[in-house]
Amino acid sequence: AMEDVSAKFVSQKISRTRWRPLPAAALQPPDLFATGSWDNEDNRVSIWSAGDLGNAGLNGEYHGEPHLLCDIQHNGDVMDMQFLDQERIVVASSTGTVTVFRHHQNNQTLSANHRWEKAHYHVDQDTSCGGAACTGVVCNNPEIVTVGEDGRINLFRADQKDAVRTIDNADSSTLHAVTFLRTTEILTVNSIGQLKIWDLRHQRNEPSQIFSLAGDRVPLHCVDRHPNQQHIVATGGQDGMLSIWDIRQGTMPVSLLNAHEAEMWEVHFHPSDPDHLFTCSEDGSLWHWDTSTNVSEKPSFLHQGGRSTAYLSHSTINQSVVSAWLSNDPTKDRMEITNLIPNQTLSVNSLDVLGPCLVYGTDAEAIYVNRQLFA
């Protein structure tokens, strides 16, 4: 499948990659994506065209590597980024600042549209060195939620100068990631293995529910919610394990799946085909987890190295009734796991999936686009 992947070497370590969302009725595959860099003298937010989609070859394969449309300097490491809409991108910085950049498509430029200076800070907002990294951002236009190393949660609105709401001591440890559960509820994960639900309608600054990894308090780095079944949540953390949670029941994960050999940096359900899930890791791998029903016809095992686990398929469960993710061990029922980049050595920091397309970024100073994910 590697021949479907085009690579672009960009002479900066890439910390985040995000597809621009497609308009609601769009039929074409995604065409633009944004990247953010980290650990460079001069960090940048960049907008790329995914490559020459007009030039499909005889067999439908695409040619042309991603090309840069525009970029802009970014102060600090890009810790996270999310498109707010077709034109605006919200970027979280290691300096604690949150910036909304606007992509002007008529002349292909980026400009800073709005900035919340030191949205996250350690001592107070006014000291010069007080900034705390903003580690995570999630958007539900016009609302923007940010979390940080300072254990703070901010709720912003795209058009308002000040925070709509701040929960100052939301967590005594670092908050690493945040996602919307529904429009009024968010989920955070922290550095002591906890997942917390916050109801933004309540004025009290306490989580409405707390879930926890048993025992080890392994830092959780990433979280994603199943797009159709909002009670199903996936997280990944420092030990590389994939945890699946059902927030309707219990306080512990429904299943823990052996995954990467090092930190898992991102986890994403496919937004329109959530039987497919993707994870990437410090160990240089990017895994595609496939629980779709047709897997039961083929033996399910881990392809291309990784842990030598072999699972047999049991197609006894009626998967239309229960999500495969919620069976006690999804791998036993039907799951196929493929490492999409078998020989990468440096960290894969970020990935995003939309339609048939995957984009990912690495510490090897490269971005990769796979336009035929399900070929």
Side-chain angles (χ1 to χ4, degrees), residues 206-220:
E206 310 281 304
S208 51
Q209 273 180 285
I210 301 179
F211 301 82
S212 196
L213 289 171
D216 302 345
R217 300 193 150 221
V218 175
L220 291 172

Side-chain angles (χ1 to χ4, degrees), residues 23 46 74 82 105 130 134 154-155 216 227 253-254 277 308 325 370:
S46 310
H74 179 265
Q82 286 260 289
Q105 297 179 44
C134 177
N154 290 306
L155 172 62
D216 302 345
V254 182
L277 177 127
S308 51
W325 294 114
N370 179 342

Side-chain angles (χ1 to χ4, degrees), residues 6-186:
S6 49
K8 177 83 177 173
F9 292 91
V10 294
S11 66
Q12 44 186 354
K13 294 181 181 173
I14 297 297
S15 55
R16 283 295 181 263
T17 57
R18 297 287 180 255
W19 288 112
R20 179 178 72 171
L22 287 166
L27 296 172
Q28 79 272 25
D31 53 347
L32 292 192
F33 63 89
T35 61
S37 69
W38 80 288
D39 197 27
N40 308 291
E41 292 282 302
D42 172 32
N43 289 305
R44 308 194 82 75
V45 172
S46 310
I47 303 280
W48 305 82
S49 158
D52 190 356
L53 292 174
N55 252 354
L58 294 175
N59 305 324
E61 76 278 17
Y62 294 113
H63 301 292
E65 59 180 25
H67 62 267
L68 181 66
L69 295 174
C70 49
D71 64 356
I72 193 168
Q73 200 266 335
H74 179 265
N75 192 13
D77 292 339
V78 171
M79 303 292 289
D80 199 9
M81 65 194 311
Q82 286 260 289
F83 275 88
L84 180 67
D85 54 27
Q86 295 280 301
E87 290 173 355
R88 290 177 295 174
I89 312 162
V90 184
V91 182
S93 171
S94 57
T95 65
T97 294
V98 177
T99 310
V100 182
F101 290 102
R102 185 178 286 275
H103 174 216
H104 306 273
Q105 297 179 44
N106 50 356
N107 61 357
Q108 293 302 345
T109 56
L110 272 165
S111 64
N113 197 99
H114 189 78
R115 194 171 269 132
W116 292 284
E117 298 283 350
K118 293 216 181 109
H120 295 272
Y121 54 92
H122 280 306
V123 192
D124 60 78
Q125 266 170 308
D126 305 323
T127 46
S128 59
C129 57
C134 177
T135 49
V137 57
V138 65
C139 305
N140 185 13
N141 191 7
E143 298 195 315
I144 298 165
V145 176
T146 69
V147 296
E149 251 173 30
D150 52 0
R152 201 173 257 107
I153 298 173
N154 290 306
L155 172 62
F156 296 108
R157 271 203 193 93
D159 41 14
Q160 294 183 14
K161 193 166 76 72
D162 297 316
V164 178
R165 169 121 187 245
T166 294
I167 303 178
D168 269 326
N169 301 308
D171 213 297
S172 53
S173 60
T174 295
L175 289 168
H176 280 141
V178 58
T179 191
F180 274 100
L181 204 49
R182 43 184 73 83
T183 48
T184 54
E185 282 185 312
I186 56 166

Side-chain angles (χ1 to χ4, degrees), residues 308-324:
S308 51
T309 353
Y311 309 108
L312 294 172
S313 292
H314 305 295
S315 43
T316 48
I317 293 187
N318 177 351
Q319 288 306 46
S320 60
V321 177
V322 53
S323 167

